[in-house]
Amino acid sequence: MATSTLTVDDFDFDLPEALIAQHPARERTASRLLHVVGGQRTDRVFADLPGLLAPGDLLVFNDTRVIKARLFGRKETGGQVEVMLERIIDARHALAQVRASKSPKPGSRLLLADDAFVLRVSGREESFFQLELEGEGDLWSLAESHGRLPLPPYITHLPEAEDEARYQTVYARHPGAVAAPTAGLHFDEAMLARLASLGVGTAHLTLHVGAGTYQPVRVERIDEHRMHAECYQVPEATAEAIRQTRARGGRVVAVGTTSMRTLESAACGQGLVRAGAGETDIFITPGYRFQVVDRLITNFHLPRSTLLMLVSAFAGMEPIRAAYAHAVAQRYRFFSYGDAMLLERQDPPET
């Protein structure tokens, strides 16, 4: 089916609310793992992953770090506001979603964290507000001191001590994300060491996940949807690791859809990537021909979401429909704190 004829209804499924994971598994590697190869499915546990990889394979991780992006306060006129940082541009400027009874106008002042600091609305950029810090300080430290961890909207509890540790990968380095690259939450230090001992390579890139990752698709035909842009960085060492992996016949395994979107955005031919920084608004839908990624580790995604469209493009629409029906029937746990899948790429037919 051509992408131009696909609608959001083609990516819908019934998900019992009880299957939406509200807390992480007792241990990071204790989640389940559904291995999908075309129409074949195998139920495993995540601790089995090293045995499903081969020496010479390369895992590519997103090492972004989640910031405390949710801030509360009031407008200067008195109304309550909630600010969800989308991107800290520099120490004094940010893009954000702002929730208030009335949308703040340019020039409005937002007094946040019991008046600890003030952000002034300087303009709009599509659905986001442009904010500027007044007075002393910098946004990075103010968010860390006064913000809350931005748990996804489908997690119903307020952030707890458990979330401070578990809604962050063990290899997170570069602060800037407002949502975790959740496929990486399943890895602990012991598994990383085991993978290294087996000759499985690892590399890192950075894509700062934005709040737009939770935005619903508001059009019927998916080819009319436009993705939000996110910043990424591919180090030279990662581009070289991919080149060496290709040379020795190994497979490039993206850990998470954010790693996949970055790698495909940075593709430069022959399965290689270009090092450097950039922005991506790549929207991967069925029919897309993948250039870099051979296998994908990912969690289970929301109905009617762009991420469900992405994994359907990678592993095939029918295999993903069947896999999700199987996961529901077998009571896998869904979304950020849920279980994982290992998907093998299924290339679309040549046209």
Side-chain angles (χ1 to χ4, degrees):
M1 188 181 295
T3 300
S4 60
T5 66
L6 292 172
T7 72
V8 290
D9 290 338
D10 293 309
F11 302 91
D12 202 4
F13 65 95
D14 292 324
L15 178 66
E17 188 174 341
L19 298 187
I20 300 174
Q22 295 297 316
H23 297 275
R26 181 175 50 84
E27 298 176 355
R28 289 181 183 267
T29 60
S31 55
R32 298 166 74 186
L33 179 69
L34 181 61
H35 187 195
V36 179
V37 186
Q40 302 298 312
R41 297 173 299 279
T42 308
D43 297 299
R44 296 182 176 273
V45 293
F46 200 82
D48 293 340
L49 178 67
L52 301 174
L53 301 172
D57 286 348
L58 180 72
L59 290 167
V60 183
F61 297 94
N62 180 5
D63 61 8
T64 187
R65 187 170 187 84
V66 181
I67 61 174
K68 294 181 178 178
R70 182 166 281 127
L71 299 158
F72 297 89
R74 61 184 178 89
K75 292 189 286 187
E76 198 170 30
T77 53
Q80 299 297 303
V81 295
E82 177 183 342
V83 174
M84 178 67 171
L85 298 173
E86 166 71 10
R87 182 188 303 180
I88 297 180
I89 299 169
D90 57 37
R92 307 197 65 77
H93 300 86
L95 291 177
Q97 298 174 353
V98 178
R99 293 183 181 178
S101 57
K102 291 184 179 179
S103 184
K105 297 178 180 179
S108 300
R109 299 172 77 241
L110 309 179
L111 286 65
L112 301 177
D114 295 327
D115 300 356
F117 64 101
V118 176
L119 296 179
R120 181 174 57 84
V121 178
S122 56
R124 293 289 296 268
E125 187 173 310
E126 298 181 345
S127 61
F128 299 109
F129 289 83
Q130 297 168 330
L131 303 178
E132 183 174 353
L133 177 65
E134 292 188 355
E136 300 297 321
D138 71 86
L139 285 171
W140 296 104
S141 59
L142 289 169
E144 185 64 26
S145 298
H146 301 288
R148 286 186 187 173
L149 195 70
L151 290 178
Y154 44 76
I155 291 179
T156 57
H157 65 266
L158 293 175
E160 302 167 355
E162 172 188 58
D163 301 300
E164 297 283 343
R166 296 295 299 276
Y167 194 66
Q168 202 81 263
T169 64
V170 297
Y171 48 80
R173 297 175 187 169
H174 303 293
V178 300
T182 55
L185 299 180
H186 302 285
F187 290 83
D188 60 16
E189 296 289 0
M191 175 170 280
L192 294 174
R194 183 179 174 201
L195 290 166
S197 71
L198 294 173
V200 176
T202 58
H204 296 85
L205 51 76
T206 307
L207 181 137
H208 292 315
V209 191
T213 192
Y214 302 122
Q215 293 297 308
V217 178
R218 293 190 173 92
V219 294
E220 181 179 357
R221 285 178 32 172
I222 69 171
D223 63 344
E224 296 175 352
H225 178 70
R226 296 295 175 264
M227 294 286 285
H228 61 291
E230 295 168 313
C231 297
Y232 72 82
Q233 174 81 40
V234 178
E236 183 61 49
T238 296
E240 176 62 18
I242 291 171
R243 188 194 67 77
Q244 293 180 8
T245 299
R246 288 278 175 247
R248 63 177 173 255
R251 295 168 294 186
V252 175
V253 185
V255 180
T257 57
T258 59
S259 292
M260 170 184 278
R261 293 179 67 243
T262 302
L263 292 171
E264 293 296 318
S265 297
C268 62
Q270 283 93 38
L272 307 179
V273 299
R274 185 181 299 106
E279 282 196 356
T280 181
D281 60 359
I282 189 172
F283 182 24
I284 296 176
T285 58
Y288 178 88
R289 298 198 71 84
F290 289 85
Q291 301 179 68
V292 181
V293 178
D294 301 305
R295 306 174 93 189
L296 172 65
I297 299 168
T298 185
N299 283 17
F300 292 90
H301 303 295
L302 279 71
R304 305 167 70 88
S305 66
T306 60
L307 297 182
L308 183 55
M309 297 168 194
L310 182 154
V311 297
S312 297
F314 188 76
M317 288 187 64
E318 290 306 320
I320 288 295
R321 282 196 185 113
Y324 271 61
H326 175 85
V328 170
Q330 296 299 314
R331 303 193 66 78
Y332 275 71
R333 288 156 41 91
F334 277 67
F335 306 161
S336 294
Y337 278 152
D339 296 314
M341 309 176 79
L342 173 61
L343 303 177
E344 310 283 341
R345 188 176 77 196
Q346 303 294 306
D347 290 322
E350 296 283 354
T351 56

